[in-house]
């Protein structure tokens, strides 16, 4: 029942919190008119009659303003205390985990997970998997990367799928539930894709399994939560499929991409040489098929530019990140996917021809400044 309650939480009613403040004291309109239109005449007595009420009004306004400032400052200090308490709790929780990430460095799904771990200052070890032999993950029946092994005390849990990894670990940091309980909320499910191939999908993978108070504290409202989920899924279902057609767009770009992959990846000398030339040729051909499969334009850059500008428009001009003053899981997902193109022609073109660069640099800075 506990599991069902958390899965069904999105159907529940969100709490609405409102903070009201009235820092100044006012006067009725007729009283203000009386101050302005007092008895005529000049001299000290008349001046005193007119000046006295004005002085009282000014004093009342000043007192009200001071009280307002006091309560505002007190509220901000309390908010800072609560934020510090939550940070301390998260630090305590994160210190209980020993994480090992099995990855290909140039994989956009792996990059998403690294962006999340780095932003949340979760220490982890990296095992670079050989993409040919994949001996490093022979312990796992799940043969894709990323995979995260999470040691929590005596309990060792395996987390599969980038979005499940992120959702499960964020749920852990916010709720403090045991990780072995959390992963039961994301059961694997076998399915057959459009190509007739059996694939493994995971239920609830964009949900954080929080109770109402935890969700209210994190999101403030259902709209923010729904928005984050929508764009996390968009990053997986659309944005990531624009990467290969763009980085393998031409033979020269394909060769440059594989030169980068070989340098950053876990290849032997012979494997590296074969991957660089044979892989580049193969992926150049495959990228054309991917372009057709995903109904991309002849110039795939146009799809990349459109996606980048669509994301910037969704973030909007009134907030630095989709998460408001700090990146949320959607910000980190989009950043992680795009980051794998850094240093390649497609990335430079995107930065020149779209409006995404300011947002991208803000996320990059936020991750770099995360406490280590």
């Amino acid at each position: 029942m506990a599991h069902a309650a958390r899965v069904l939480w999105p159907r529940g009613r969100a709490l609405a919190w409102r903070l009201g403040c009235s820092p100044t004291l006012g006067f009725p309109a007729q009283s203000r008119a009386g101050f302005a239109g007092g008895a005529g005449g000049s001299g000290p007595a008349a001046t005193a009659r007119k000046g006295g009420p004005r002085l009282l009004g000014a004093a009342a306004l000043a007192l009200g303003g001071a009280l307002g400032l006091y309560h505002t400052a007190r509220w901000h200090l309390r908010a800072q205390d609560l934020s510090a308490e939550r940070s301390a709790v998260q630090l305590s929780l994160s210190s209980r985990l020993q994480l090992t990430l099995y990855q290909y460095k140039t994989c956009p799904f792996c990059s998403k997970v690294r962006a999340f771990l780095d932003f949340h200052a979760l220490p982890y070890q990296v095992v670079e998997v050989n993409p040919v032999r994949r001996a490093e993950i022979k312990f796992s029946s799940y043969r894709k990367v990323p995979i995260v092994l999470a040691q929590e005390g005596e309990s060792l849990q395996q987390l599969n799928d980038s979005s499940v990894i992120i959702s499960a670990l964020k749920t852990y940091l916010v709720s403090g539930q045991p990780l072995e309980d959390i992963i039961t909320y994301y059961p694997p499910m076998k399915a057959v894709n459009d190509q007739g191939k059996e694939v493994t999908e995971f239920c609830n993978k964009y949900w954080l399994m929080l109770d109402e108070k935890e969700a209210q504290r994190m999101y403030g409202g259902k709209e923010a939560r729904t928005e984050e989920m929508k764009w996390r899924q968009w990053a997986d279902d659309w944005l990531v499929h624009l990467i290969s057609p763009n980085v393998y767009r031409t033979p020269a770009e394909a060769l440059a991409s594989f030169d980068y992959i070989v340098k950053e990846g876990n290849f032997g000398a012979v494997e590296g040489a074969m991957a660089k030339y044979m892989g580049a040729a193969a992926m150049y051909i495959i990228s054309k098929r991917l372009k057709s499969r995903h109904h991309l334009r002849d110039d795939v850059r146009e799809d990349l530019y459109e996606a980048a500008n669509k994301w910037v428009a969704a973030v909007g001009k009134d907030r630095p990140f989709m998460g408001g003053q700090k990146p949320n899981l959607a910000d980190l997902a989009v950043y992680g996917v795009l980051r794998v193109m850094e240093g390649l022609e497609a990335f430079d073109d995107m930065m020149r021809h779209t409006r995404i660069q300011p947002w991208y640099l803000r996320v990059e800075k936020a991750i770099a400044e995360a406490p280590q």
Side-chain angles (χ1 to χ4, degrees):
M1 288 297 292
H3 295 175
R6 289 187 177 273
V7 171
L8 293 176
W9 136 246
R11 297 171 182 259
R13 184 179 62 187
L15 298 176
W17 294 90
R18 178 180 301 169
L19 290 172
C21 181
S22 179
T24 59
L25 300 175
F27 295 90
Q30 62 269 30
S31 298
R32 290 196 296 269
F35 293 156
S42 59
T47 302
R49 283 196 300 272
K50 292 195 290 183
R54 289 175 179 166
L55 289 172
L56 289 173
L61 287 170
L63 177 61
L67 288 171
L69 288 172
Y70 167 75
H71 287 294
T72 300
R74 184 180 179 187
W75 183 85
H76 279 296
L77 288 172
R78 178 56 181 157
Q80 290 175 358
D81 289 343
L82 290 173
S83 177
E85 290 173 10
R86 288 196 292 270
S87 297
V89 169
Q90 287 193 359
L91 182 62
S92 174
L93 288 170
S94 67
S95 67
R96 299 179 195 171
L97 289 180
Q98 297 178 21
L99 302 176
T100 304
L101 170 63
Y102 294 80
Q103 67 158 20
Y104 306 143
K105 185 173 181 180
T106 56
C107 162
F109 296 106
C110 300
S111 180
K112 278 171 47 187
V113 173
R114 291 199 311 274
F116 169 83
L117 296 175
D118 292 340
F119 177 72
H120 290 85
L122 290 169
Y124 61 99
Q125 294 181 326
V126 171
V127 175
E128 192 69 23
V129 176
N130 181 291
V132 179
R133 297 188 302 272
R134 292 187 289 179
E136 294 80 5
I137 56 173
K138 64 182 179 181
F139 63 85
S140 173
S141 59
Y142 182 82
R143 301 298 290 168
K144 296 181 180 180
V145 292
I147 293 171
V148 165
L149 293 185
Q151 182 84 40
E152 182 185 19
E154 299 299 318
S155 174
L156 178 65
Q157 305 298 326
Q158 179 175 331
L159 306 178
N160 305 322
D161 185 274
S162 62
S163 292
V164 172
I165 292 168
I166 291 167
S167 293
L169 290 177
K170 185 66 175 181
T171 297
Y172 174 82
L173 292 176
V174 175
S175 71
Q177 302 171 67
L179 196 57
E180 62 182 327
D181 291 343
I182 293 172
I183 63 173
T184 64
Y185 306 144
Y186 305 97
M189 179 178 63
K190 297 292 184 181
V192 178
N193 64 16
D194 295 338
Q195 289 74 47
K197 182 180 178 181
E198 185 178 79
V199 295
T200 300
E201 276 297 339
F202 294 85
C203 299
N204 307 315
K205 66 181 181 180
Y206 299 108
W207 280 110
L208 301 191
M209 300 304 172
L210 309 174
D211 63 28
E212 289 194 23
K213 288 184 179 179
E214 292 162 350
Q216 179 65 35
R217 188 177 75 226
M218 180 171 174
Y219 293 108
K222 286 186 177 179
E223 295 79 8
R225 188 179 198 176
T226 301
E227 181 183 51
E228 179 185 77
M229 290 174 58
K230 170 187 171 181
W231 289 98
R232 287 181 68 194
Q233 185 169 1
W234 175 82
D236 284 354
D237 290 350
W238 178 245
L239 185 63
V240 76
H241 295 301
L242 302 179
I243 303 302
S244 290
N246 273 279
V247 300
Y248 305 122
R249 184 182 62 153
T250 66
E253 288 182 89
L255 191 60
S257 296
F258 260 87
D259 184 54
Y260 170 66
I261 288 170
V262 169
K263 287 179 180 177
E264 297 293 338
N266 179 11
F267 291 91
V270 176
E271 288 175 341
M274 293 179 62
K276 180 175 178 179
Y277 295 101
M278 296 179 63
M283 285 309 301
Y284 170 71
I285 296 170
I286 291 172
S287 70
K288 304 307 176 187
R289 297 177 185 171
L290 293 173
K291 182 175 76 171
S292 176
R293 180 187 300 174
H294 298 293
H295 308 290
L296 304 183
R297 303 172 200 181
D298 289 338
D299 184 358
V300 292
R301 284 288 197 273
E302 294 300 320
D303 292 289
L304 180 62
Y305 299 161
E306 181 178 83
N309 284 329
K310 183 176 182 179
W311 166 254
V312 173
V315 173
K317 298 179 179 179
D318 298 329
R319 52 184 180 177
F321 308 103
M322 183 167 281
Q325 295 304 308
K326 62 181 181 179
N328 67 6
L329 299 183
D331 288 291
L332 296 173
V334 173
Y335 172 83
V337 169
L338 295 177
R339 179 172 60 177
V340 298
M341 296 191 297
E342 282 190 14
L344 301 175
E345 185 178 334
F347 183 84
D348 295 338
D349 286 348
M350 180 183 68
M351 289 296 170
R352 281 196 301 268
H353 297 289
T354 73
R355 303 187 302 273
I356 204 168
Q357 186 174 30
W359 168 86
Y360 188 92
L361 294 177
R362 286 194 295 268
V363 180
E364 185 175 64
K365 182 180 180 182
I367 292 175
E369 292 178 349
Q372 299 302 315

